[in-house]
Amino acid sequence: MNANNPSDTTVHPYTREMAMIHQVFRRESRLLAELVQEVRPGDTARSRILAEHWRLYSVGLHTHHTGEDEMLWPVLLPHLDLDAEQVLAMEAQHHELSDGIAEVQQLMDLWQDRARPEDRDALAEALRRHHRQLCAHLDEEEREVMPLVALHVTAEQWHAIGERGLAETPRNRLMIALGAILEDASPEEREEFLGRLPLPARVLWKLLGQRQYRRETTRVRGRRTTV
């Protein structure tokens, strides 16, 4: 979900958007480990729901990282000298994360059809490892790389990256993606993010999107508190 308006007169990209998107991946990777661990042995209805949520999460994370690798880093690197090492480190970490994601996928495939407790425990541990690795990567990217993006990437270039991610999001998932971004946002962030969206998107969120997101989070999280 891209909230960066290309008509903005600001020189700098709306990099706060990146931290809000990162928070989605932090939260969902943590919740996936917790929710998997809570599944009762043999509860395949629940295991399949979580396996599908993992699939959507991992596709979203892959799209996010591919967008950075193919569109953000090539724009940023020509402006850097010694700081280029930070960007190259981000690329390397994306590859390392891919290995962990592949491990989780293998274990998820093993667990989802029978929901055996030993498979569940191995999967939950792999998800916890993924969460720790991902959070370390996102923390470093926000601390070291986003200030460089703010200095060297234009609002138009930033918008193009967001548009790519938006185009790769299925239309029936757009309001769910928006809800995921807004869930942990502060009131000020919510107001700013929504204010950057086109009016039809804001109206759709108010009329339909909030209910759609509540239904989705209830389905995935069960009895856990939802927005």
Side-chain angles (χ1 to χ4, degrees):
M1 181 64 62
N2 180 18
N4 196 28
N5 188 335
S7 64
D8 283 348
T9 57
T10 180
V11 174
H12 300 296
Y14 176 46
T15 55
R16 186 184 297 184
E17 175 183 42
M18 181 69 83
M20 294 171 72
I21 292 170
H22 282 176
Q23 188 57 27
V24 175
F25 294 122
R26 289 187 180 96
R27 181 187 66 239
E28 297 305 320
S29 60
R30 173 182 58 81
L31 281 173
L32 271 161
E34 295 172 0
L35 291 168
V36 164
Q37 191 69 75
E38 293 168 359
V39 175
R40 297 186 304 273
D43 189 351
T44 55
R46 190 83 182 110
S47 66
R48 287 168 183 161
I49 287 173
L50 293 179
E52 174 62 10
H53 187 59
W54 160 260
R55 186 189 68 80
L56 293 168
Y57 161 87
S58 60
V59 167
L61 184 59
H62 175 75
T63 298
H64 178 71
H65 283 164
T66 301
E68 290 179 336
D69 290 341
E70 296 182 0
M71 295 189 68
L72 182 56
W73 309 147
V75 167
L76 184 58
L77 279 168
H79 298 281
L80 305 179
D81 187 9
L82 295 178
D83 287 327
E85 293 182 6
Q86 296 293 343
V87 174
L88 297 176
M90 295 300 100
E91 289 185 302
Q93 288 173 20
H94 286 179
H95 291 298
E96 293 166 4
L97 281 161
S98 293
D99 294 338
I101 290 169
E103 178 193 15
V104 170
Q105 187 62 62
Q106 285 185 322
L107 293 169
M108 186 70 74
D109 291 341
L110 187 64
W111 173 68
Q112 65 174 322
D113 289 332
R114 298 179 65 182
R116 295 181 301 189
E118 60 271 28
D119 297 334
R120 175 202 62 200
D121 293 345
L123 173 60
E125 182 56 36
L127 283 164
R128 286 190 286 268
R129 286 195 298 272
H130 166 70
H131 172 71
R132 291 192 297 269
Q133 186 182 27
L134 176 67
C135 287
H137 164 70
L138 299 179
D139 290 348
E140 184 176 346
E141 184 175 298
E142 290 172 14
R143 183 179 64 251
E144 304 292 344
V145 179
M146 283 303 107
L148 301 174
V149 170
L151 286 174
H152 300 298
V153 176
T154 68
E156 291 76 15
Q157 290 167 329
W158 185 257
H159 177 73
I161 296 164
E163 283 295 297
R164 169 179 165 153
L166 186 62
E168 295 188 14
T169 303
R171 291 183 64 84
N172 67 342
R173 301 287 303 181
L174 287 174
M175 289 296 104
I176 293 172
L178 176 57
I181 292 169
L182 295 178
E183 179 173 344
D184 291 326
S186 68
E188 295 77 16
E189 288 172 332
R190 289 173 67 96
E191 181 179 1
E192 182 177 15
F193 194 93
L194 286 169
R196 289 171 173 267
L197 295 178
L199 178 59
R202 297 200 300 272
V203 171
L204 186 61
W205 168 248
K206 184 175 182 179
L207 294 179
L208 299 173
Q210 294 180 75
R211 289 198 298 273
Q212 183 183 8
Y213 186 63
R214 281 195 294 269
R215 286 196 301 270
E216 176 71 3
T217 53
T218 298
R219 185 180 70 87
V220 170
R221 301 178 195 175
R223 294 173 179 266
R224 286 172 176 257
T225 301
T226 60
V227 294

